[in-house]
Amino acid sequence: MASLPEQAVRPRPRTQAPQARTRWVERVEPYLYLAPSLALLAIFTFYPIVRSIYLSLFLTDPLGRPRVFVGLAHYANSLTTSFLQSMGVTLLFVLYTVPVGLLLGLALALLAHQPLRGTRLFQLIFSSPLAVSAAIGSTIWVMLLNPVSGIVNYLLGLLGIGPVHWLTDPRWALPAVGMVSIWLRLGFNFVLMLSALQNVPDELLEAAVVDGAGFWAKTRHITLPMISPTLFFAAVVGVIHAFQVFAEIDIMTAGGPSNATNTVVYRIYQVAFRQYEFGAASAQAILLFIVMVVLTYLQFRLGERRVHYQ
């Protein structure tokens, strides 16, 4: 009987299993590092979104427990009630605060970026609103805008201007809250713009000076295109923040007078925690989320074309 060749009888070395195990570990290891962050996102972001969508389809009891399935009724009611008015107030608030905040932060950053004596002091002063919380800043401005004892009306009186009821007059309430919001965001916009200006290559500015360009020509043709990514980022973040404003409204006007400052987020808060209609509030929150996604998409589609990336 012929014997099998020795090479056929000899067992092959078992190297495939360790290699497969190594590849499996390499694939799984990154997700293990991401697991804590993914767990936090799942608990505090994804689950609340899913829960809000679920609650928006039900009538709830005062404890937020779903009782009666109503389908899309809450969404339909939101589009025919004062929710649309609150959305209009919010859009007006965005128009008041975002462009002015960006322009003011850019102007102060350009001023503080100049090679002058005392620039460090100005940088400290301009960035100081970063250290003030929205609650404390709003409380301070409530006292400053007091129609009787506030320093703002006192200074206007020195100029011969009568007292202005900043927070109780529907014509002035939203601009007044917008002014406070701009001040609270000024430090963030200033630091962001200043850091972008410091990254503009000096060689480009020196070449422009050699060619005879002045300050405004350098700013328009060199500085603004070079910091356009930062401007675009600040605009997107500013719009999102303006849509989510709450502390200033709650402390300064509580949505009044005559709903002149009743923004969408504050209305959702009222519906949920004062009227205890958690289903309706969840539906309005989902609608707000959709509006913010659409606006952010439009910003990227329309604004990113003019962004100059190095």
Side-chain angles (χ1 to χ4, degrees), residues 86-142:
S86 298
M87 183 60 69
V89 172
T90 305
L91 292 174
L92 194 59
F93 183 82
V94 171
L95 294 177
Y96 281 164
T97 58
V98 176
V100 176
L102 291 178
L103 291 176
L104 188 58
L106 177 60
L108 295 179
L110 288 171
L111 177 63
H113 188 59
Q114 301 303 312
L116 302 174
R117 180 177 298 180
T119 302
R120 295 293 182 182
L121 177 61
F122 285 105
Q123 292 177 1
L124 176 63
I125 295 174
F126 296 154
S127 61
S128 59
L130 273 174
V132 182
S133 67
I136 294 176
S138 300
T139 304
I140 293 173
W141 277 98
V142 166

Side-chain angles (χ1 to χ4, degrees), residues 16 45 103 125 130 165 212-213 260 274:
Q16 295 181 355
T45 302
L103 291 176
I125 295 174
L130 273 174
H165 297 272
R274 293 188 179 178

Side-chain angles (χ1 to χ4, degrees), residues 164-205:
V164 178
H165 297 272
W166 295 100
L167 303 179
T168 56
D169 190 336
R171 297 174 301 172
W172 292 104
L174 191 63
V177 177
M179 177 182 62
V180 175
S181 182
I182 291 172
W183 178 76
L184 289 170
R185 293 279 298 176
L186 181 60
F188 174 80
N189 289 329
F190 169 75
V191 172
L192 204 62
M193 301 300 173
L194 183 62
S195 63
L197 290 175
Q198 292 174 347
N199 290 325
V200 176
D202 294 333
E203 295 80 5
L204 294 177
L205 299 175

Side-chain angles (χ1 to χ4, degrees), residues 45 53 117 134 146 150 180 199 214 221 224 234 243 251 307:
T45 302
I53 295 174
R117 180 177 298 180
N146 187 287
V180 175
N199 290 325
H221 298 289
L224 291 181
F243 265 91
I251 294 174
V307 176

Side-chain angles (χ1 to χ4, degrees), residues 214-231:
F215 173 78
W216 294 112
K218 290 189 299 180
T219 301
R220 178 182 177 184
H221 298 289
I222 297 178
T223 302
L224 291 181
M226 293 299 293
I227 68 171
S228 57
T230 302
L231 287 170

Side-chain angles (χ1 to χ4, degrees), residues 45-59:
T45 302
F46 300 139
Y47 173 74
I49 292 176
V50 174
R51 182 67 176 177
S52 296
I53 295 174
Y54 174 73
L55 289 178
S56 67
L57 305 176
F58 289 86
L59 288 174

Side-chain angles (χ1 to χ4, degrees), residues 245-260:
V245 64
F246 176 80
E248 299 94 301
I249 301 294
D250 186 41
I251 294 174
M252 299 184 68
T253 62
S258 302
N259 291 324

